[in-house]
Amino acid sequence: MSDPPGYQRPTAKIAVKSKEREEDDEDQEPVPPEQPPVEDDDENENAGLSEEDLLLKETLEAAVAKLTARKSSSSSREAAVDTLATEIRSATSSMTSVPKPLKFLRPHYEPLKEFYRTLKSGSLKKAVADVLSVLAMTMAEEGSRECLGFKLEGNRTELGVWGHEFIRALSGEISQEYVARTTADPPDDPSELIELVDVIIPFQIDQKSEIEAVDLLLEVNELEKLIGYVDKSNYDRVCLYLLRLAEYHIALEDLESALGVAFKLYLGEKDLANALRVAMRLNDMGLATQVMEAAEKMRDGGLVLRQLGLMMGSHKFFGYTSDDDQVNSLIGNEELWDHFQSLARELNAEDPKTPDDVYKSHLSESSSLMREAAQVESARQNLASTYVNAFVNVGFQKDALMTPADTQWLYKNKDHGMISAAASLGMILLWNVNEGMSQIDKYLYSSEFIKAGALLALGIVNCGVRDDVDPALSLLPEHFEEGKPDILRMTAALGLGIAHAGNPKEEVAEVLLPVVADTSAAANMEVVALAGLALGLVFAGTADEDVCTTIVQRLMEASPAELDQPIAKMLCVGLGVLFLGAQEKAEPTVEAVKTVEHKISKFAAVVIETCAYTGTGNVLQVQKLMHLCAEHLDKNGDSVAEVAAAAEAAEEEETEEKTGAAQGGADATAAAAAAAADSKAAEEKEEEQQTEEEREAEKQQAAANAMHQSAAVIGVALITMGEKIGREMAQRTFQHLLQYGDLAVRRAVPLAMALCHISDPEYALIDVLSKLTHDADVPTAMSAIISLGLLGAGTNNSRIAQLLRSLATFYSKDANPLFIVRIAQGLLHAGKGLVTLAPYHSDRTLMSGPAIAGILAVIYCSLDLKNTILAKHHYLLYTLVCAIRPRMLMTLDAKTMEQLPVKVRVGQAVETVGQAGRPKTITGFQTHSTPVLMGFGDRAELVSEEYEPLSDVLEGVVLLKKRKKKRSSKDRDGDVEMAK
């Protein structure tokens, strides 16, 4: 059939690949089949939705359309808003991901905002604002705070119906807005924000989100409001969080605010043991008195009052006096020596140890050489043995050298060695005042040095004990009188300070202040310095104005010759420990000390400032100290960079003067150049002719002039020792200082490392210190040796013991380092391993001011061992007694006050702050029967629920009472039958 004329048959084009293209495409990957063209965007979006989701989306879009339509009535708009609100509320009540209504409404956020702006004020506008506030949580630009802005314009009540995540987002924006308003110039009124906070806090408390509630109230400075919402079910969680939070507060006001709220919560819930713990942490005797008075009103037979008395005694918090003599006895630690003897009996540690038992010379590599050296007695070796004997047998009431009736050990020492030997009696009889006084009394009528030692022993035996008779205050002041030998005045002053460490009596100040203030020609700086240190021990952490003024005035009036004496630094240490934890309160004193025209002013300023921020973890202060450590100083104590800059400036000025002056001719110029060259050549020749000894002397002089840098290194340890992260960061910093620091800085680093970990022998730290014990600089090596002793004090750590035995062999022919090794061995085995020097106790929540003061006295002496401990002031080692306490857990029956052995689990403490439920508080535990030893970082808990402890923290001496058994229904029915 033929096509009609003019008709064109339609043609189809068929693409056929050429052979060439086929060859090119052989190496290419196969192309996936083409997708069909998308006809509609809406259909693409809805493709992955279920029928239920599709229905929800359509419902929401219809509601938005009805709401924003121009012709919609007010009733229909209100219905549409209700629909949106209902759907959003149901989806946000429990959010694990972004709710579907918020996803579906994302495209409508901007149109809804535009529509909102057109509405007039009223209930509809508020309802729309509520919806927009929730949408803004995920759709608003970051930093715009639209979520808060819409909520302030909407309904400000019933916020919880929008879900927990909304409350969390709103809280964050409230915090930001509060800061913005209060820091504006002029400040804006934040009252409407506080209204929202008042609605949010009850919701968070009900939802068990107490931590978030505390954070929000902290941000808006309304922490006191927390008291009205906390009850018996959650106060312990809230208070624990507040206590941990306080460690990170920089400002003293914030710290006191957080701890103050915790105190009120504990006191309100009758948790008096924890309330007292907070009061002691604040060092506030007024708050402690409130707790004790509340305990006196309890009808429990005074059981809780006894436990509180034991806690005050353990912390050396002696300011409170009760009407109950038994409670006063517990506060005064009068039974501590007896408890310690019970511990020793239980652990079979009663037999005295001799220095040879500690040295274990037979285990060293060259034992024969050591034995030969030991056969030749020397005063220095006997002095070392005196200290080892004193530390090892501390508090045991008997030893093998001093307490036997026919002892001649006292006379095997010379002069100042006799002081230490007689004073060691106080260490051995520690805490047992009655027995101690009778044994020490016979030495008070002996030769001058023995009598001086007996006066010091009299103070030591009273350390940590508060006695109504107060024998130290009765007997020691008569030896301060003018005309008495200086050595008696020195030891009597130090003994009085040690006896009243942590017991700031006005009578003690009245006796010691005139000694410090004495500026007569007969005044001896040694007596003045030790009296100042004694005042520091007594008034540690109190910032007492009279003591502070007297010491500062004495520093100002002292002559350069007096301040040049090494012992003068103890006056600065005494002034520093007055301000332990005082923070900004120390600033006026720091400025006053800087006016002293002597190099000691820098040292004093650093000591005071670092003591003021002890345990705070203040990063700004640490940075300031690091800048100080980074300076390189010349032999005169001046900054090398500053001296070089001044010289360069002077040279430039001289050049300008010469250029500006009239030209004196070529001859004059040549003559000047020749003179300069001759001068430079002479300097170089002088440097070459300097002997090695002279260079070494210059280095030592530079280190002596840079003592403030050493104090800055110690200060870094003081500031960071309060919490774990700070200590770890400080250790890294010390490693850098070891590599790049000057001599004065390097010498202080081992001591700073040990100060962060007193009685806490960490393996990594032991390795670092063991390397430094062989340092080319002998003072650095000796600092590392004594640091090993402080690090392992009272732990009997076998690794450190082995290191010290090796060092005794290595330094067997070098008297000074060997003496320090012996001291370190004595510290390591202190109390036969039953005591600790750690200044933090009560689950590391409390820092003992007297303990820190005693440790600091020894550490600052160790910065200049040659002129202090290795000279005639070695008895300053006894200031460590202020830090010594038994590391035990002993349980007593609260009613009879007799020992009550119970099973306890002892393990490493686990942080439980903010964790839900009742998490485990210890890990890796072992079960023991009390009394039991507690290591650093250990925590204990009772195995049986038969007894109830009267203190949450099982440490030291804890009283137990039997739990009241809950009577079953069968028992009650039986009682009824018997009555019938």
Side-chain angles (χ1 to χ4, degrees), residues 20 29 171 226 271 277 388 460 503 634 761 829 915 927 944:
E20 294 176 0
E29 293 180 3
S171 299
L226 191 65
D271 190 347
R277 206 167 276 119
V388 172
I460 291 171
N503 187 10
D634 61 15
H829 296 278
Q915 293 186 16
T927 304
S944 169

Side-chain angles (χ1 to χ4, degrees), residues 482 489 513-525 528 550-559 562 571:
E482 289 186 17
R489 299 180 75 198
L513 285 176
V515 180
V516 176
D518 184 12
T519 56
S520 64
N524 185 341
M525 179 48 82
V528 172
T550 305
I551 296 178
V552 171
Q553 189 67 29
R554 186 64 180 85
L555 283 170
M556 290 178 174
E557 294 175 358
S559 66
E562 286 181 319
L571 196 57

